[in-house]
């Protein structure tokens, strides 16, 4: 076999197996004017009865694992880069030092669309139990719903050094200026939660069949 032909084989295999985030359609981000940071949601009362939990582990190299109550790994996921921004629920900041972290196994998204505030109000109440990740490639937001083991990818606009804000009616990202451009106005983009409804429907689907925790499939497949 010729060397040139041999070298083409890995490239052909790569072309036939795109990463899952490559299949995510671009989103209709709109330019907007940066406003004040969003106010946090009111603190929730602690439920009288314990809520089932999912234990999520995340390492600095971008390996995420979800374990069930028995400690069995039920999902293993590889990110496209190293975690740079971590948020949970409606925008609560996290760090790698917070992991392993327990996420609820029952969330508003597990209860169907009827439980979502589609007719108005603060949509962020429906985001409880989600994990938001921007890796150092900064080209997408990886959105993980540990309760259902579902993952969606939100492509970002062109830019870098993002800050992420969750408002009652929209998701907003701002490109933070460098130190040399600190007096320059931030580039800001936003998208309505209602436009992202298909992604939330996907996140609310039941867990995939089979054994998604296998080490041989670090990326989820449809």
């Amino acid at each position: 076999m010729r060397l040139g032909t041999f070298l083409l084989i890995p490239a052909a295999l790569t072309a036939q197996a795109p990463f899952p985030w490559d299949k995510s359609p671009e989103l209709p981000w709109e330019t907007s004017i940066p406003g004040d940071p969003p106010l946090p949601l009111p603190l929730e009362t602690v439920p009288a009865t314990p809520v089932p939990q999912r234990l999520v582990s995340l390492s600095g190299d971008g390996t995420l694992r979800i374990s069930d109550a028995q400690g069995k790994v039920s999902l293993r996921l590889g990110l496209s880069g190293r975690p740079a921004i971590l948020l949970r629920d409606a925008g609560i900041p996290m760090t790698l030092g917070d992991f392993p972290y327990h996420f609820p196994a029952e969330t508003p998204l597990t209860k169907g669309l009827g439980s979502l505030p589609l007719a108005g109000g603060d949509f962020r109440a429906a985001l409880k139990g989600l994990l938001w990740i921007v890796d150092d490639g900064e080209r997408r937001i990886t959105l993980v719903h540990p309760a259902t083991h579902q993952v969606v990818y939100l492509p970002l606009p062109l830019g870098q050094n993002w800050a992420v804000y969750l408002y009652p009616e929209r998701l907003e990202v701002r490109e933070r200026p460098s130190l040399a451009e600190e007096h320059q106005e931030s580039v800001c983009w936003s998208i309505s939660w209602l436009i992202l409804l298909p992604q939330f429907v996907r996140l609310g689907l039941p867990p995939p069949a089979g054994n998604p925790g296998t080490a041989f499939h670090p990326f989820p497949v449809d």
Side-chain angles (χ1 to χ4, degrees):
M1 179 184 293
R2 283 184 152 187
L3 178 60
T5 303
F6 178 79
L7 292 176
L8 286 176
I9 293 177
L13 292 177
T14 302
Q16 294 174 3
F19 293 115
W21 48 80
D22 292 335
K23 297 180 289 184
S24 301
E26 296 295 325
L27 297 174
W29 293 94
E30 296 182 351
T31 56
S32 58
I33 299 175
D36 295 329
L39 296 175
L41 281 173
L43 294 176
E44 294 184 339
T45 57
V46 178
T49 57
V51 177
Q53 303 288 308
R54 299 276 189 265
L55 184 64
V56 177
S57 301
L58 180 62
S59 63
D61 64 358
T63 301
L64 182 146
R65 295 179 177 85
I66 301 177
S67 304
D68 58 21
Q70 289 73 41
K72 178 182 178 181
V73 175
S74 50
L75 176 69
R76 181 179 284 107
L77 172 69
L79 302 176
S80 58
R82 297 169 296 181
I85 299 175
L86 297 169
L87 305 170
R88 65 174 175 86
D89 302 331
I92 300 174
M94 302 184 73
T95 68
L96 282 174
D98 294 322
F99 291 88
Y101 188 86
H102 284 95
F103 283 79
E106 298 174 3
T107 72
L109 289 179
T110 63
K111 300 174 183 177
L113 290 180
S115 64
L116 304 185
L118 301 178
D122 195 332
F123 192 87
R124 295 177 300 170
L127 306 178
K128 181 177 176 57
L130 296 181
L131 173 60
W132 308 74
I133 308 171
V134 179
D135 60 50
D136 57 6
E138 295 190 328
R139 186 61 186 93
R140 68 195 57 81
I141 298 176
T142 300
L143 190 49
V144 184
H145 189 201
T148 61
H149 302 94
Q150 298 289 356
V151 182
V152 298
Y153 301 94
L154 308 180
L156 290 167
L158 293 177
Q160 59 184 351
N161 197 23
W162 294 110
V164 181
Y165 298 92
L166 283 68
Y167 287 88
E169 75 289 348
R170 70 188 187 279
L171 171 65
E172 186 174 291
V173 295
R174 302 178 193 173
E175 189 175 9
R176 291 173 291 201
S178 63
L179 292 177
E181 304 169 333
E182 58 182 350
H183 299 296
Q184 180 178 335
E185 186 176 356
S186 298
V187 178
C188 182
W189 302 81
S190 66
I191 189 169
S192 166
W193 293 124
L194 295 183
I195 293 179
L196 295 176
L197 198 57
Q199 284 81 358
F200 291 125
V201 170
R202 171 67 182 269
L203 289 171
L205 294 176
N211 178 19
T214 171
F216 300 104
H217 296 284
F219 305 111
V221 293
D222 294 331

